Amino acid sequence: MLMSPQNLPENIRHVQERIKRAAAECGRSVDSVTLLAVCKSQPADIVRAAARAGLAEFGESYVQEALGKIEALRDLPLTWHFVGKIQTNKTRDIAENFAWVHGVDRLRIAERLSGQRPFHAPPLNICLQVNIGAEASKGGVAPAEASALAAQVASLPRLRLRGLMCIPPADLDTAALRRLFAKLAGLFASLNAGGAHLDTLSMGMSADLEAAILEGATLVRVGTALFGARS
Ligand SMILES: *Cc1c(COP(=O)(O)O)cnc(C)c1O
């Protein structure tokens, strides 16, 4: 179901209110949480309406679909984040068209992104995806290997390592979710204690952004709650 742009300002306000309440609940400033609008499957005019309603950070999961939208919205000062699964043959398009990549989980992909990042562009911001729920079917570096990968990625010239992201298993109850978010936050803190200078903890989506913020998320990736269910 594609939603009409008229609902957007209300949905955006509602999500911003949820973020504000969760931040207040744990004594954090609302400014410490970035709302990333995941607009996969939404047409460019809906994204334009969301930008008009005040959003500036947008996330896409499919490179081909994203490129047309990025091109159509070049007149707006938007920041594009790639949040999908990264295929090797798509790294050049990602490196040339996005400002952030959230799903990096192996050195080979990071090396390609660094090598393909245009010299006129600032370094590409990277979050390492961590397989925090240890799911066989899911991407992400194992928690025990995150520190070594972080050091390797941080040394690549055209990347800037900013933080960690996770996609927890579906159907967990809130307590279990919070334990996983806390685990990622703990890993984030331990990398920083080792001198990593990470500032972005990318966790929480439409259904669980409060739990993520309570555990320290600095960026929540929200699709459905803003744009309605994807068809
Ligand atoms: C689609 C997607 C989201 C948004 O999910 P919603 O449940 O619709 O808010 C967040 N993160 C990633 C990686 C996604 O692919």
Side-chain angles (χ1 to χ4, degrees), residues 5-227:
Q6 294 91 294
N7 300 337
L8 254 176
E10 194 186 320
N11 289 1
I12 292 170
R13 268 196 308 280
H14 181 63
V15 170
Q16 286 169 334
E17 194 52 42
R18 286 175 61 191
I19 292 171
K20 195 168 143 192
R21 265 202 309 272
E25 196 179 327
C26 54
R28 296 176 55 193
S29 136
V30 66
D31 302 331
S32 69
V33 184
T34 298
L35 171 55
L36 175 62
V38 180
C39 56
K40 60 191 179 202
S41 88
Q42 300 300 328
D45 60 337
I46 298 280
V47 180
R48 186 174 289 280
R52 203 177 299 122
L55 300 185
E57 312 273 333
F58 290 92
E60 288 281 349
S61 298
Y62 308 103
V63 175
Q64 228 40 53
E65 180 196 325
L67 295 183
K69 274 185 253 183
I70 292 172
E71 188 54 40
L73 298 166
R74 281 236 188 265
D75 57 309
L76 299 176
L78 307 181
T79 301
W80 292 95
H81 298 238
F82 188 75
V83 302
K85 190 167 151 41
I86 306 165
Q87 292 171 300
T88 310
N89 65 355
K90 292 294 198 302
T91 53
R92 180 174 298 281
D93 281 334
I94 294 170
E96 289 179 350
N97 290 281
F98 287 83
W100 285 75
V101 184
H102 290 241
V104 173
D105 63 0
R106 52 196 195 279
L107 183 61
R108 167 116 182 91
I109 291 287
E111 285 172 340
R112 288 178 65 93
L113 290 170
S114 181
Q116 293 166 341
R117 181 68 168 171
F119 283 103
H120 58 78
L124 185 58
N125 296 297
I126 302 292
C127 289
L128 299 183
Q129 183 177 350
V130 180
N131 189 356
I132 205 74
E135 293 173 279
S137 64
K138 199 153 275 173
V141 62
E145 286 154 26
S147 172
L149 181 61
Q152 289 171 315
V153 169
S155 75
L156 293 171
R158 301 293 294 136
L159 304 185
R160 183 165 166 220
L161 182 63
R162 298 295 295 269
L164 304 178
M165 76 88 87
C166 71
I167 306 173
D171 305 326
L172 292 184
D173 64 28
T174 304
L177 264 173
R178 282 193 61 168
R179 275 196 298 277
L180 286 191
F181 289 144
K183 196 172 157 193
L184 192 68
L187 187 54
F188 181 79
S190 82
L191 292 180
N192 274 338
H197 301 292
L198 307 181
D199 62 7
T200 304
L201 193 48
S202 168
M203 60 187 192
M205 313 197 287
S206 290
D208 56 16
L209 65 89
E210 286 88 353
I213 290 168
L214 292 174
E215 296 300 344
T218 69
L219 180 148
V220 291
R221 309 179 309 267
V222 180
T224 311
L226 293 170
F227 300 109

